Amino acid sequence: MVRLSPPGHGRLEFARTLEVDVGGGEFNVAYGVARLGLRTGFVSRLPDNAVAAIILNHARAAGMDVSAVKLTPPDGVGRRDRVGLNFTEVGMGLRPSVTLYDRGHTAMSLAQPEDFDFEQIFSAGCRWLHTGGVMAAISAQAPAIVERAIDAAKAVGARVSFDLNYRASLWTPAQARAVVTRLMPKIDVLFGNEDAFDKMLGIAVPGARPTAKDFNWEENRNLALAVVERFPHLRAIASSLRAVPNGSVNHLSGLLWYKGEFSTAREYRDLQILDRVGGGDAFGAGIVYGLLNDLSGPDTVELAAAYGALVHTARGDTSQATLREVMHIVEGGSAVIQR
Amino acid sequence: MVRLSPPGHGRLEFARTLEVDVGGGEFNVAYGVARLGLRTGFVSRLPDNAVAAIILNHARAAGMDVSAVKLTPPDGVGRRDRVGLNFTEVGMGLRPSVTLYDRGHTAMSLAQPEDFDFEQIFSAGCRWLHTGGVMAAISAQAPAIVERAIDAAKAVGARVSFDLNYRASLWTPAQARAVVTRLMPKIDVLFGNEDAFDKMLGIAVPGARPTAKDFNWEENRNLALAVVERFPHLRAIASSLRAVPNGSVNHLSGLLWYKGEFSTAREYRDLQILDRVGGGDAFGAGIVYGLLNDLSGPDTVELAAAYGALVHTARGDTSQATLREVMHIVEGGSAVIQR
Amino acid sequence: MVRLSPPGHGRLEFARTLEVDVGGGEFNVAYGVARLGLRTGFVSRLPDNAVAAIILNHARAAGMDVSAVKLTPPDGVGRRDRVGLNFTEVGMGLRPSVTLYDRGHTAMSLAQPEDFDFEQIFSAGCRWLHTGGVMAAISAQAPAIVERAIDAAKAVGARVSFDLNYRASLWTPAQARAVVTRLMPKIDVLFGNEDAFDKMLGIAVPGARPTAKDFNWEENRNLALAVVERFPHLRAIASSLRAVPNGSVNHLSGLLWYKGEFSTAREYRDLQILDRVGGGDAFGAGIVYGLLNDLSGPDTVELAAAYGALVHTARGDTSQATLREVMHIVEGGSAVIQR
Amino acid sequence: MVRLSPPGHGRLEFARTLEVDVGGGEFNVAYGVARLGLRTGFVSRLPDNAVAAIILNHARAAGMDVSAVKLTPPDGVGRRDRVGLNFTEVGMGLRPSVTLYDRGHTAMSLAQPEDFDFEQIFSAGCRWLHTGGVMAAISAQAPAIVERAIDAAKAVGARVSFDLNYRASLWTPAQARAVVTRLMPKIDVLFGNEDAFDKMLGIAVPGARPTAKDFNWEENRNLALAVVERFPHLRAIASSLRAVPNGSVNHLSGLLWYKGEFSTAREYRDLQILDRVGGGDAFGAGIVYGLLNDLSGPDTVELAAAYGALVHTARGDTSQATLREVMHIVEGGSAVIQR
Amino acid sequence: MVRLSPPGHGRLEFARTLEVDVGGGEFNVAYGVARLGLRTGFVSRLPDNAVAAIILNHARAAGMDVSAVKLTPPDGVGRRDRVGLNFTEVGMGLRPSVTLYDRGHTAMSLAQPEDFDFEQIFSAGCRWLHTGGVMAAISAQAPAIVERAIDAAKAVGARVSFDLNYRASLWTPAQARAVVTRLMPKIDVLFGNEDAFDKMLGIAVPGARPTAKDFNWEENRNLALAVVERFPHLRAIASSLRAVPNGSVNHLSGLLWYKGEFSTAREYRDLQILDRVGGGDAFGAGIVYGLLNDLSGPDTVELAAAYGALVHTARGDTSQATLREVMHIVEGGSAVIQR
Amino acid sequence: MVRLSPPGHGRLEFARTLEVDVGGGEFNVAYGVARLGLRTGFVSRLPDNAVAAIILNHARAAGMDVSAVKLTPPDGVGRRDRVGLNFTEVGMGLRPSVTLYDRGHTAMSLAQPEDFDFEQIFSAGCRWLHTGGVMAAISAQAPAIVERAIDAAKAVGARVSFDLNYRASLWTPAQARAVVTRLMPKIDVLFGNEDAFDKMLGIAVPGARPTAKDFNWEENRNLALAVVERFPHLRAIASSLRAVPNGSVNHLSGLLWYKGEFSTAREYRDLQILDRVGGGDAFGAGIVYGLLNDLSGPDTVELAAAYGALVHTARGDTSQATLREVMHIVEGGSAVIQR
């Protein structure tokens, strides 16, 4: 998606200029992994116009491979094969950030399973596929596309991660559960939070939802445990945790169940926020990076939480951090000026 | 529509910020009339969100009445009742301006005739209704909405103007002709150019199209005459004329058939352009203003052409000129600095 | 007034661009009420030039009626009938916000009582008049204009609110008291704080002034009580309360005496501030809105305090919030991102 | 004066930001001379606030001496001792540039002759005083201040130049003539154009005014000759010439009568304009520079015309050119990129 | 190089912000070819810091392969292995564009021939190497690096183009001739203009230099012929031609000697310029593209001239045009707005 | 140095515009003193180009005398006599500010002692010379230049302050100690912190380094005492103290040993930061100002700490505060809006 945001903390209604960013749940994870230095690509369907070119250029600039993106002839009216948009206000203090989605009728939502030759796409030594609940919800045929992609990835031995990412505007819990139930056996690594576990898996633990004041570690552990019990084939479950005292300052942390053990990241308390969008995706990218590099559970979740926290200090959905900077945070590096 | 444009002559593909403007053919005419000092309003259907509020605020700031705009609950995904958008590059020199429309599935395109109580809308002493070919083409039911509006307007004695404004991306000539043929008997004042007369009325005169180099006055007169002959009930026919040596410098003029006589505006040769979009609509607004104020044909077309020319000197689709400034141009006022 | 501010927290002395906003005590209250959905208008006197048009457009965009604004011919030198200006720096942390007023010789300060036909202005079903101490102080004849407006408003049954808003640069306490004493019997709802009660009414309670650290609830209640005792005809007294630990973080609350009872709003502690100007006016707008809609005292003051707090999260003097957003805060809604 | 301008060719009414520049007729000449490398200073009266600091910093940055500027305590309301402002739109094509002055009640307009110790000011080896008709017109006592300055300058042997610069908004021809008649015997070098010679000296030559199309060399020469005949004590008379085909393209040249001979600069035809304000003042600065450096008449007027032309290629009232760049134009240097 | 430019036509001395672009002669050609759709890469040496990342991201966004760029550890002082910079003012009208180079001590200028494994770099099916006189001049060892690259390219059958691009600030004609004489036998396609042929090859034809007024076709043909006669092994010689009436309007064309015949592009007269830098490089990219795609001489030079002309309508050194847009110009497409 | 910074908290790698500021340790101190109202100048060596003019204009605008700056002919390549640059990111929250220096090969680093006529420079009644460790480290001959300047300053009775300012990128501790040991006997007032005392003087006290959490007052006092014991000729030792909980909020204070007594400034806890660069230099400027005005130790260190703290609330390296504003903070003035 192309994201359009008023500069600073401006209000959309009164904006005279909008900043252009690029983002989207699954996209952000791939981008975040690319920033850490691994080769990544993304698969989508976009019209062949200048708005879509913004997305392609953004991905390529980070080194992502976009050769599997299927370009469609532009529709001069925007009735079909649109580029997905969102209008995002970056809130502050008392005022929350707001995202208005305008992603109906996109080229990707009109894609058919046969639009992509996943066997060919995954044939070049791919080690990981990341997808999730937003992708699976964007159209009636989206679950089939996701499933085909997963099958092709697994056929070449890649691991599959899936971010539940429940969006009430896209589907009902019942619809979501039907799709996720079918896909779950093929998923290796699951990302989700209390809301998604509840709505999409029907698994809830009282008190697991973080309040504005604090995290509920015990309940979150129990929740992840309940998920593992239901889906014992999962290699890992990861949750980013966030408490929201206000729009400018959040507490962040993360939790990873991996190889039979829980690891929890340090708490980033009173984290000052420039733009909170994309923080969860960067956490996810950190998990993927850690597991792909055979880091331990504790090292992986610390790296992921540091990455997620760091992404809150820059505008836009996608990571502007480097691996060196992430490790500086992981290692407890201070905010003293670097010269 | 909300228009999103790279600053200056920037390219959309490389834009990091977009300027926010508001425009749309019929909207621009009403706005242009309001800027000249008459009371105007507009009728549309918009979702109740911050993007639509940009349009409402913009209209209200010029003094337009927006109370007849029907607000619909926002759709959190943008699958229906979207706000129409366009992405517009302001070209220069060799490079043309470009508009990418993203106006499918808008709230207005999903409107039904019964959404509007036109009898009530036009009951407050309305003297003029302006509509046109873009509105009539945006949906299958749009012609019926237009016709209802026209009928209600005529019932209170208002005059009706219609800008043919042919857009190949919206309908075929055959579709357009079917609609226009049905509406034509109810239209009092027709706006159009060679292309629209040809495609939508099937009336063509060889050589009427202005070249990059110059106008073809004789042929344009003959073309308007042919339209009058076919539709003798018309009170007036108006055409803005444009020749395009390059994207930064155009020649402009206009032609009006009114009360049985042709009037032609002076030629604005080598007119330097900041943003050409909305020039034709300002011309139309000038015609409406002149006829509503019972100006003569020559005075009306000069005012309209001056208005159209002046709108080329400011960014955005809608007029930023005042009546005083238009009259300065009409009276041959110079570009010497005013202190 | 047109407000000119360096972007962000920039210093005026070093500014290369200035942001243009519109504001002014009484104007902001009317604007704030309009944003909540009520019909409002404002009465003023402005020159007929492009700078004044900024103000008119801004008011109209929010739906305000500006037909009672009297336009005067522009003075090419700016010796009389100027547009009032202010230069406002938005401070941060240790550094306070600063406003340099440049509002001498404005068209409104040169207005005479006979410039306005208040009987006609208030004849259209007006239910409320808001005015205050800044308006009353801008010229020798201003008190007479205010009194005429109040008389005309009361003649049609409208309620009258008055914001004391003491400005030492405009008049002395003695001058202010003379005017306020005369107007007070006609006022229904009084807005003020400790400083204004002291300087303009001569009523003080030790310790009522909030320190940087905290509010003094008891003393503020006693202060309002003292005002009520002196002016028992008042229907309501409202005070917004502010403590200023630093320029970026304030504590806010509010107090309302209404129908014989005190109501106090919750405390917004450590409220992060983007721009503090206009917060008190939004509080006032909330009071007017509450009383016009027959809300209870507690509901009114909570709405007013929430409105005032929310206005601190956006740039400019005038509200960019909606009623829905205010109610989200009133209802304790969190700052979690809204999608 | 502080000048506030919408960016680019934006309209003031619709501006959301204004660019801050500094200018003013006499100031610009002094600044222009400083840019060419001579020591200059300026004398004025300004309030001690941040807006005035913009002016002082701007002058100092170019190396001007501001120690003779008298600072007054700031007036918190702006009723007196204001900083002069103007709102300037930079026109284009058909649309003229517009300047709205807001310079009433400035600190300088309220100055009294005794505010300045001109004997001390001019005691440090001053070789030239430049002043003019705008300064002389800003208040009733301004002519006396100007005369005192002239007397003090002449007492130390400095030459005196005076730019007639007629402004109809500041005084009537009759008022202007009374003042100029009194000052003229003390003036050494006179700057003016047809309009000023006519209104302020009562000397006119039919056809001397340049049309949009072209200059009238013969008539301009005759006009200058008529001035010389009337005021034979003048050492030099200089006129910058401008024809205005449109707001983006002007023709420029200049004329100098010096040591009994006429010199004319080359014609800069179809000069493309970024911002025309300050061009005449840079021409004046070039004349002052040439005469102070004992250049010949032809060399002086070529340098002055080149300087004036070059200043049209940058924003703002004051010169951004260097002597090297002026000489590049004087010597016929091309616009080929310089690396 | 990273290019830093004041926005619009601003002056460097007075800039408060600088726009960031990326460019450099040889880089721009490769980038321009990538924009037309071919796979390209570039070879360089850069420090591993955020400024160099700007260049890498810019290249990758256009699809260029940067894997052969050698990264060096950043030097915290900037004494060695700097990133090359230039400060570029975009002139207008009378005022030329200016580039101040700050490219001493760059990582690339400190590179040694053994830093690059050209055999490996060119082993992947490379069909073309483009290099030139700027690269060859940046250090004492640069000619050896260029020669190694050429040898490796020719070893895999790639063609070699060389843009003479004489820069007096980098070397003397004698130094340049020594290097070029040695390289010339290995060059297939030569780019150059009158100045470069004269200084670097010692071949001159009187009158070949275009004046501000016009091209000298005959002399340019003779000049190219003289070069061919001296170096008969050349497959092609291409010259972009430019005449500079002023900084905002140039005339452009181009000339190609190929397969024994001269082809000349149409003349783009009075081409309006947003930013002239990079135009010659886009012309070169068009030549490379045409020859790689086996276009005829006339088709190649028309495509190249159109590409070069189009690049003048956007900011920055590198192409923002697409092949479709170039072909629109080649085919004589107009500047009428495209919707 | 010219500092180039992404707007707001933007990342350098992704910046499309850079803000232009001017700064440098010793320069900032002189600038800071000039802002407080004293006459200052600076001595340097710069190329005669537009980038250096940015520095000169910036200094002059604050009233600094730049006549002792030696201008060298610009080098068209940037191999020598460059202008020093730095690229500075303003961090926030978790993310530190970052400065990439690009100051090799500057005109000043290539200066020779004989380039400056220090006797003449200091002959005009100079009362103070400030220099420091950055200047002394920029080249092999820099210490000799510094020593010559100190000798000339002392010859006219000026006091000499020296800011140790250790930069590991410029020299080793051993190199630094050799230079400082030689200069120390001539230094009157020493600025430094724990790191500099350790690396450059070899004096360390365990625990003197402030942690992110808090200051270590006792240890800092002991450290200064140890310095005094070693160098008993020093008139004063001053240290600004900083603890860095995160990049947006620091604690600040300062310590002064003067006339045999320690004075400590109040603690500015949880100071909100817009841009932390230049805070230490403003502290130094405050010390110089206090000592030159014969303030007491406690008054001097409070003024210095307030100045340093205030500079954190504005962008850029150099002070934008006034003496009046500093005294407002010293006197405990609040952050309530000032009108």
Side-chain angles (χ1 to χ4, degrees), chain B residues 31 35 58 268 270-274 306 309-310 312-314 319-322 325 328-329 333-339, chain D residues 9-11 13-14 88-89 92-101 165 167 169 244-249 272 276-277:
Chain B
Y31 190 100
R35 288 286 302 171
H58 186 74
Y268 293 92
D270 296 322
L271 184 85
Q272 282 161 318
I273 297 177
L274 200 67
L310 202 45
H312 285 74
T313 69
S319 163
Q320 299 189 16
T322 62
E325 292 168 345
H328 175 77
I329 304 298
S334 87
V336 170
I337 186 170
Q338 299 180 341
R339 327 199 204 219
Chain D
H9 302 287
R11 304 296 325 250
E13 180 181 343
F14 294 94
T88 296
E89 276 183 16
M92 69 86 60
L94 205 59
R95 176 160 60 85
S97 290
V98 177
T99 293
L100 298 182
Y101 288 108
N165 233 342
R167 290 283 188 274
S169 59
V244 184
N246 66 57
S248 302
V249 174
Q272 283 161 317
R276 56 121 11 270
V277 182

Side-chain angles (χ1 to χ4, degrees), chain A residues 279-336:
Chain A
D281 298 324
F283 176 84
I287 296 292
V288 172
Y289 179 87
L291 299 188
L292 266 172
N293 284 280
D294 281 325
L295 301 189
S296 70
D299 285 357
T300 296
V301 77
E302 282 293 3
L303 187 152
Y307 201 15
L310 203 45
V311 163
H312 286 73
T313 68
R315 289 280 288 199
D317 296 27
T318 51
S319 162
Q320 299 188 16
T322 62
L323 180 56
R324 207 182 304 159
E325 292 168 344
V326 175
M327 295 316 296
H328 176 76
I329 303 299
V330 167
E331 289 155 12
S334 88
V336 169

Side-chain angles (χ1 to χ4, degrees), chain B residues 94, chain E residues 252-254 265-266 268 271 279 282-283 286 299-313 321-323 325-332:
Chain B
L94 204 61
Chain E
L252 287 186
S253 191
R266 81 191 64 169
Y268 293 93
L271 183 85
F283 176 84
D299 285 357
T300 295
V301 77
E302 282 292 4
L303 187 151
Y307 201 14
L310 203 45
V311 163
H312 286 74
T313 69
T322 62
L323 181 56
E325 293 169 345
V326 175
M327 295 316 295
H328 176 76
I329 303 299
V330 166
E331 288 154 12

Side-chain angles (χ1 to χ4, degrees), chain E residues 82 100 116 130 144 148 180 194 197 274 326 329:
Chain E
R82 301 178 54 241
L100 299 183
F116 305 102
H130 176 72
R148 277 214 194 180
V180 172
E194 334 71 42
F197 291 149
L274 200 67
V326 175
I329 303 299

Side-chain angles (χ1 to χ4, degrees), chain E residues 4 12-13 15-20 50 53-54 57 76-79 82 85 101-105 137-138 169-170, chain F residues 4 12-13 15-20 50 53-54 57 76-79 82 85 101-105 137-138 169-170:
Chain E
L4 301 168
L12 187 49
E13 180 181 343
R16 289 284 279 263
T17 57
L18 296 171
E19 295 179 356
V20 179
I54 294 170
N57 293 355
V77 184
R79 285 191 182 140
R82 301 178 54 241
L85 304 173
Y101 287 107
D102 185 10
R103 61 180 167 193
H105 314 281
I138 65 168
S169 58
L170 291 175
Chain F
L4 301 168
L12 188 49
E13 179 180 344
R16 290 283 278 263
T17 56
L18 295 171
E19 296 179 356
V20 179
I54 294 171
N57 294 353
V77 184
R79 284 191 183 139
R82 298 179 57 239
L85 304 173
Y101 288 108
D102 186 10
R103 61 180 168 193
H105 314 281
I138 65 169
S169 57
L170 292 174

Side-chain angles (χ1 to χ4, degrees), chain B residues 18-134:
Chain B
L18 296 171
E19 295 179 356
V20 179
D21 285 294
V22 173
E26 293 81 359
F27 179 91
N28 297 346
V29 172
Y31 190 100
V33 172
R35 288 286 302 171
L36 296 179
L38 301 188
R39 291 192 310 119
T40 67
F42 84 107
V43 182
S44 192
R45 193 167 171 272
L46 287 170
D48 187 11
N49 68 19
V51 181
I54 294 170
I55 298 174
L56 295 174
N57 294 355
H58 186 74
R60 277 195 301 229
M64 293 171 75
D65 184 339
V66 304
S67 59
V69 173
K70 189 179 178 83
L71 293 181
T72 72
D75 162 27
V77 184
R79 285 190 182 140
R80 57 188 159 67
D81 286 351
R82 300 178 56 241
V83 177
L85 304 173
N86 71 70
F87 296 90
T88 295
E89 276 184 16
V90 177
M92 71 86 60
L94 204 61
R95 177 162 59 85
S97 289
V98 177
T99 293
L100 298 184
Y101 288 108
D102 185 10
R103 62 181 168 194
H105 314 281
T106 61
M108 189 59 198
S109 74
L110 300 174
Q112 297 299 325
E114 56 274 19
D115 280 333
F116 305 102
D117 182 354
F118 286 116
E119 283 66 34
Q120 195 273 328
I121 288 169
F122 287 110
S123 64
C126 175
R127 296 192 292 152
W128 196 285
L129 166 67
H130 176 73
T131 185
V134 172

Side-chain angles (χ1 to χ4, degrees), chain E residues 6-335:
Chain E
H9 301 288
R11 306 293 326 251
L12 187 49
E13 180 181 343
F14 295 93
R16 289 284 279 263
T17 57
L18 296 171
E19 295 179 356
V20 179
D21 285 293
V22 173
E26 292 81 359
F27 179 91
N28 298 344
V29 172
Y31 190 100
V33 172
R35 288 287 300 171
L36 296 180
L38 300 189
R39 291 192 309 119
T40 67
F42 84 108
V43 182
S44 192
R45 193 166 172 273
L46 287 170
D48 186 10
N49 67 19
V51 180
I54 294 170
I55 298 174
L56 295 174
N57 293 355
H58 186 74
R60 276 195 300 229
M64 294 170 75
D65 184 339
V66 304
S67 58
V69 173
K70 187 177 181 86
L71 294 181
T72 72
D75 161 27
V77 184
R79 285 191 182 140
R80 56 186 163 68
D81 286 351
R82 301 178 54 241
V83 177
L85 304 173
N86 70 70
F87 296 89
T88 296
E89 276 185 15
V90 178
M92 68 87 61
L94 204 60
R95 176 161 60 85
S97 290
V98 177
T99 293
L100 299 183
Y101 287 107
D102 185 10
R103 61 180 167 193
H105 314 281
T106 60
M108 189 59 198
S109 74
L110 300 175
Q112 298 298 325
E114 56 272 21
D115 280 332
F116 305 102
D117 181 355
F118 287 116
E119 283 65 35
Q120 194 274 328
I121 289 169
F122 289 110
S123 64
C126 175
R127 295 191 292 151
W128 197 284
L129 165 67
H130 176 72
T131 184
V134 172
M135 172 59 217
I138 65 168
S139 69
Q141 67 278 20
I145 297 174
V146 169
E147 191 165 6
R148 277 214 194 180
I150 291 175
D151 290 344
K154 296 196 83 85
V156 298
R159 292 190 201 163
V160 173
S161 58
F162 191 94
D163 189 344
L164 291 171
N165 233 343
Y166 181 69
R167 292 281 188 278
S169 58
L170 291 175
W171 52 7
T172 63
Q175 291 171 316
R177 276 185 219 180
V179 168
V180 172
T181 299
R182 182 180 164 97
L183 297 176
M184 192 57 92
K186 305 177 175 181
I187 294 169
D188 300 303
V189 176
L190 186 71
F191 300 149
N193 60 12
E194 334 71 42
D195 184 52
F197 291 149
D198 181 5
K199 300 281 178 34
M200 298 172 84
L201 304 181
I203 300 175
V205 163
R209 199 152 306 196
T211 65
K213 298 226 165 134
D214 226 327
F215 305 115
N216 301 320
W217 283 109
E218 192 57 28
E219 288 79 359
N220 272 282
R221 271 201 197 84
N222 290 340
L223 180 57
L225 214 57
V227 175
V228 174
E229 279 170 14
R230 173 91 67 83
F231 302 105
H233 74 283
L234 288 172
R235 286 170 181 253
I237 299 175
S239 298
S240 68
L241 300 177
R242 176 192 303 274
V244 184
N246 65 58
S248 302
V249 174
N250 287 186
H251 310 315
L252 287 186
S253 191
L255 175 147
L256 174 67
W257 180 88
Y258 179 49
K259 295 189 176 171
E261 292 192 356
F262 276 108
S263 310
T264 55
R266 81 191 64 169
E267 295 187 13
Y268 293 93
R269 300 195 73 79
D270 297 320
L271 183 85
Q272 284 161 315
I273 297 177
L274 200 67
D275 185 350
R276 60 127 0 274
V277 182
D281 297 323
F283 176 84
I287 296 292
V288 172
Y289 179 87
L291 298 188
L292 266 173
N293 284 279
D294 281 326
L295 301 189
S296 71
D299 285 357
T300 295
V301 77
E302 282 292 4
L303 187 151
Y307 201 14
L310 203 45
V311 163
H312 286 74
T313 69
R315 289 280 289 199
D317 296 27
T318 51
S319 163
Q320 299 189 16
T322 62
L323 181 56
R324 207 182 305 157
E325 293 169 345
V326 175
M327 295 316 295
H328 176 76
I329 303 299
V330 166
E331 288 154 12
S334 88

